[in-house]
């Protein structure tokens, strides 16, 4: 048996690559290195623009050429860094050497020693991860989540009046509408999306152990905390003044917990839609050329929701691990975060793949109103709640002498299947007012949905 050529180990980089490739722009090694170049370049520009250590501001043309190092970062740079890192065995040092090499080609050797000035690798790394992760979330993951929320909201509005039998503990319960049930999930997800969008992204820039020691030795008169803050904030990040060598990663833990929370709500959605399909509430729309089963040609398997379910579990497993481990670093620094952070893209990749499947799946189902109606018509006993509640109101109003309405309905309905005729006969003999009796005689399971239709209107 001949050996295979080099193959991707993760299905995210193989089978599912097309669905998650947009994350590679930010959460890949190349995306991280581009951000590192950006931080190194912007620090150079900051130092020169503030005439630090006798330097002078660069011309507009020189500034543009320098920023092109990250704005036009491409395969040539990726290859150069790979070759250099093979020698340095240090990824950030390779980036520093790349910037120095490009300075020479731009005729800017005079400021070469300001490259990576007073920086520890983590000063560059933490800002680079902050830039790439926040961009991946806001440019890729959140838009996909909002697409799913939008599809759910559309279905909720479309089916806001389609009555369905609820099931609490898996048993027939007070009816709702399919639209309201979908609106519940959309509302939950919209709230989490807002929290994710508003997540604070922190950055530090304070040297080897976070106390500006080398900075002060280089220029005791400079206001290094103000310089650090201004630089970090210029990148669109929130300055963290108190750290060890590393930024403490608390913002990452908070973000990953929120994304994992969204995953679990989406998981609940996937399993509920799967169940509604199995109950016949939703029909799956056949897709041209698709095969549902290798032996049973009639089947349309709910694979979109099963795929989403599994990938959401994988995503949360990775993100939960990141959130739990990144907040711990021995003494002033250890390197455990270095390898774990390289899996950020894996956590988001599985979530993005799940969102893609949910979006597709929600577009491939159709409500079977007849199935909903038949289920409701087979469960008239769910009106027992309505009847006993009306009786209690009548007792309080002095229009009934019934002593225990709940027990009365429990005897009639508990563990039994009753029909319309049974309830009509029962209600007709009740000691209640005429208006209440007429309301109950006119009631059907399909009409017992309360404010379900109105509640859908609370969706944003």
């Amino acid at each position: 048996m001949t050996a295979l050529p080099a193959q991707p180990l993760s299905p995210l980089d193989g089978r599912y690559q097309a669905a998650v490739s947009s994350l590679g722009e930010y959460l890949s090694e190349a995306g991280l290195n581009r951000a590192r170049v950006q931080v190194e370049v912007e620090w150079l520009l900051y130092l020169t623009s503030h005439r630090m250590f006798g330097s002078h501001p660069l011309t507009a043309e020189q500034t543009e050429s320098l920023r092109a190092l990250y704005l036009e970062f491409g395969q040539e740079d990726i290859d150069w860094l790979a070759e250099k890192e093979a020698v340095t065995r240090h990824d950030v040092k390779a980036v520093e050497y790349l910037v120095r090499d490009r300075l020479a080609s731009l005729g800017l050797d005079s400021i070469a020693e300001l490259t990576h000035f007073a920086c520890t690798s983590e000063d560059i790394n933490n800002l680079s991860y902050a830039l790439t992760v926040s961009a991946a979330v806001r440019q890729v993951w959140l838009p996909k989540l909002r697409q799913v929320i939008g599809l759910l909201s559309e279905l909720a509005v479309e089916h806001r009046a389609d009555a369905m039998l609820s099931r609490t503990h898996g048993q027939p319960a007070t009816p709702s509408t399919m639209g309201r049930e979908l609106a519940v999930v959309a509302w939950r997800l919209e709230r989490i999306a807002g929290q994710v969008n508003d997540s604070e992204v922190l950055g530090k820039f304070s040297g080897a152990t976070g106390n500006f020691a080398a900075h002060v030795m280089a220029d005791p008169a400079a206001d290094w905390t103000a310089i650090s803050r201004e630089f970090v904030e210029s990148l669109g990040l929130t300055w963290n003044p108190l750290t060890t060598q590393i930024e403490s990663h608390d913002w990452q833990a908070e973000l990953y917990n929120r994304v994992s929370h969204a995953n679990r709500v989406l998981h609940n959605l996937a399993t509920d839609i799967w169940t509604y399909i199995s109950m016949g509430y939703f029909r799956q729309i056949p897709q041209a050329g698709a095969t549902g089963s290798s032996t049973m040609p009639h089947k349309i398997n709910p694979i979109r929701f099963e795929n989403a379910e599994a990938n959401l579990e994988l995503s949360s497993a990775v993100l939960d691990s990141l959130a739990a481990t990144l907040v711990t670093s021995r003494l002033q620094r250890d390197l455990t975060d270095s390898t774990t952070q390289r899996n950020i893209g894996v956590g988001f990749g599985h979530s993005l793949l799940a969102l893609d499947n949910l979006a597709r799946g929600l577009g491939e189902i159709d409500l079977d109103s007849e199935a909903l109606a038949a289920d409701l018509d087979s469960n008239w006993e769910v009106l027992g709640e309505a009847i006993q509640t009306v009786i209690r109101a009548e007792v309080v109003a002095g229009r009934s002498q019934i002593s225990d309405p709940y027990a009365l309905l429990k005897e009639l309905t508990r563990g039994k299947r009753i029909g319309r005729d049974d309830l009509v006969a029962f209600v007709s003999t009740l000691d209640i007012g005429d208006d209440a009796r007429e309301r109950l005689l006119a009631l059907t399971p399909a009409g017992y949905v309360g404010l379900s239709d109105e509640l859908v209107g609370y969706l944003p």
Side-chain angles (χ1 to χ4, degrees):
M1 184 178 294
T2 59
L4 294 171
Q7 297 295 312
L9 188 59
S10 167
L12 295 177
D13 294 316
R15 181 181 183 90
Y16 303 126
Q17 198 269 342
V20 301
S21 60
S22 53
L23 283 173
E25 186 72 18
Y26 309 102
L27 300 181
S28 62
E29 190 74 13
L32 178 61
N33 277 332
R34 180 176 60 187
R36 286 165 167 160
V37 174
Q38 178 183 353
V39 174
E40 295 278 14
V41 165
E42 291 300 329
W43 180 229
L44 262 173
L45 291 173
Y46 182 94
L47 291 171
T48 55
S49 67
H50 288 76
R51 302 178 183 273
M52 298 291 290
F53 309 105
S55 64
H56 299 283
L58 302 185
T59 67
E61 183 179 356
Q62 289 172 326
T63 299
E64 183 180 353
S65 297
L66 202 50
R67 284 187 167 138
L69 298 187
Y70 65 84
L71 293 174
E72 299 175 9
F73 185 88
Q75 191 60 52
E76 181 182 345
D77 305 297
I78 293 169
D79 295 340
W80 195 100
L81 285 170
E83 291 179 11
K84 182 61 69 173
E85 188 180 346
V87 177
T88 62
R89 302 293 181 181
H90 196 292
D91 48 5
V92 177
K93 199 65 178 176
V95 170
E96 178 189 343
Y97 286 145
L98 181 140
V99 174
R100 284 174 174 266
D101 178 81
R102 302 307 193 253
L103 284 173
S105 65
L106 293 172
L108 293 172
D109 302 78
S110 61
I111 61 169
E113 288 307 320
L114 290 180
T115 306
H116 202 69
F117 184 83
C119 294
T120 185
S121 296
E122 178 61 12
D123 285 333
I124 307 303
N125 268 343
N126 89 94
L127 298 181
S128 299
Y129 273 114
L131 292 171
T132 55
V133 172
S134 59
V137 169
R138 293 190 170 95
Q139 301 299 320
V140 181
W141 187 83
L142 263 178
K144 198 67 177 180
L145 175 63
R146 292 199 183 279
Q147 180 191 7
V148 171
I149 295 172
L151 290 169
L152 275 175
S153 298
E154 289 174 9
L155 287 171
V157 171
E158 180 182 354
H159 301 302
R160 64 192 302 165
D162 287 307
M164 58 169 273
L165 185 69
S166 296
R167 280 178 167 79
T168 57
H169 309 280
Q171 306 304 308
T174 301
S176 180
T177 69
M178 180 59 76
R180 195 198 75 100
E181 298 311 303
L182 297 176
V184 168
V185 183
W187 176 269
R188 296 174 69 189
L189 291 172
E190 181 59 40
R191 179 172 174 271
I192 300 170
Q195 293 173 341
V196 171
N197 184 68
D198 295 339
S199 293
E200 191 175 37
V201 182
L202 276 64
K204 64 86 69 173
F205 205 68
S206 49
T209 56
N211 61 6
F212 299 96
H215 305 65
V216 172
M217 288 304 296
D219 186 351
D223 188 346
W224 285 108
T225 55
I227 290 170
S228 172
R229 179 171 193 157
E230 186 177 23
F231 179 64
V232 170
E233 291 179 350
S234 75
L235 297 173
L237 308 174
T238 299
W239 183 59
N240 187 344
L242 284 169
T243 72
T244 59
Q245 183 179 101
I246 69 166
E247 200 289 317
S248 305
H249 306 324
D250 293 328
W251 73 264
Q252 289 193 56
E254 293 159 3
L255 173 64
Y256 304 152
N257 280 329
R258 287 177 180 133
V259 174
S260 189
H261 182 189
N263 284 344
R264 290 186 167 92
V265 175
L266 291 162
H267 187 282
N268 195 176
L269 170 68
T271 55
D272 275 4
I273 297 293
W274 186 97
T275 304
Y276 288 141
I277 290 171
S278 73
M279 293 164 57
Y281 281 12
F282 283 116
R283 294 184 295 258
Q284 295 184 94
I285 302 170
Q287 302 301 300
T291 298
S293 167
S294 62
T295 60
M296 293 174 281
H298 69 283
K299 292 182 70 180
I300 305 176
N301 294 331
I303 56 172
R304 295 295 182 193
F305 301 100
E306 292 170 342
N307 183 292
E309 180 182 343
N311 278 285
L312 290 164
E313 291 166 1
L314 288 168
S315 174
S316 286
V318 173
L319 295 174
D320 289 348
S321 178
L322 288 170
T325 59
L326 284 177
V327 294
T328 299
S329 184
R330 293 175 183 85
L331 303 180
Q332 282 68 53
R333 207 275 190 269
D334 68 46
L335 270 177
T336 52
D337 64 334
S338 178
T339 190
T340 51
Q341 285 184 109
R342 283 188 161 86
N343 291 280
I344 295 170
V346 176
F348 278 99
H350 284 293
S351 183
L352 186 68
L353 178 58
L355 286 167
D356 183 70
N357 274 281
L358 285 170
R360 293 171 184 267
L362 290 171
E364 296 172 0
I365 55 176
D366 186 35
L367 191 70
D368 189 337
S369 299
E370 292 182 0
L372 269 64
D375 207 8
L376 286 165
D377 199 48
S378 298
N379 289 277
W380 282 73
E381 62 273 12
V382 297
L383 299 183
E385 178 199 32
I387 297 170
Q388 64 101 2
T389 303
V390 169
I391 294 173
R392 294 176 68 180
E394 290 293 286
V395 170
V396 172
R399 292 188 291 269
S400 175
Q401 299 300 313
I402 297 174
S403 60
D404 192 345
Y406 179 85
L408 185 65
L409 269 296
K410 179 180 175 182
E411 181 180 349
L412 175 70
T413 61
R414 185 172 171 84
K416 301 175 185 177
R417 282 292 178 89
I418 60 176
R420 181 182 185 281
D421 292 343
D422 300 304
L423 283 180
V424 167
F426 178 78
V427 170
S428 297
T429 63
L430 285 176
D431 175 27
I432 56 177
D434 290 341
D435 287 345
R437 190 188 322 280
E438 291 303 314
R439 289 201 308 277
L440 290 177
L441 288 173
L443 187 61
T444 66
Y448 185 44
V449 294
L451 302 177
S452 294
D453 187 327
E454 180 181 326
L455 289 169
V456 174
Y458 282 94
L459 284 174

